[in-house]
Amino acid sequence: DVMPIDDSTMFGASARHREIVHIRNWDDEPADRYPNAPSRRAGAKSALTIPMIRDDVALGVVAFSRFTPGGYTDAEVSLLKTFVDQAA
């Protein structure tokens, strides 16, 4: 799917601001935060987006989600970011 590059989704916010977005528990987030997030609509409890950056340009975003709250550890985020950086 093509996602808008705006703050209505984690994908868009991650690409627009060129930063990682990490939701540890959707139940703790206001309903208007990323209202169009596919992971939230699918019933995931935590989500992570990592932008693919080359020469300060966002080429895309890689997203991860879990159906349990708690999110990802710092070590997991670091490892996933390494993979995404290599792909870019």
Side-chain angles (χ1 to χ4, degrees):
D1 273 346
V2 175
M3 295 285 168
I5 306 300
D6 62 22
D7 291 335
S8 70
T9 66
M10 292 175 64
F11 294 100
S14 195
R16 181 174 181 212
H17 302 289
R18 293 183 299 285
E19 63 187 26
I20 292 172
V21 177
H22 189 187
I23 302 294
R24 294 184 184 277
N25 188 345
W26 275 117
D27 293 340
D28 294 339
E29 298 297 324
D32 62 349
R33 182 161 192 216
Y34 311 123
N36 297 320
S39 64
R40 184 177 227 175
R41 288 194 322 253
K45 292 297 182 183
S46 56
L48 175 73
T49 56
I50 302 175
M52 296 176 71
I53 307 288
R54 186 184 314 148
D55 299 327
D56 202 36
V57 174
L59 304 175
V61 176
V62 180
F64 307 89
S65 60
R66 289 185 170 156
F67 288 94
T68 56
Y72 297 82
T73 66
D74 290 343
E76 289 170 323
V77 172
S78 180
L79 180 62
L80 292 169
K81 184 176 182 324
T82 297
F83 290 140
V84 172
D85 289 347
Q86 288 175 352

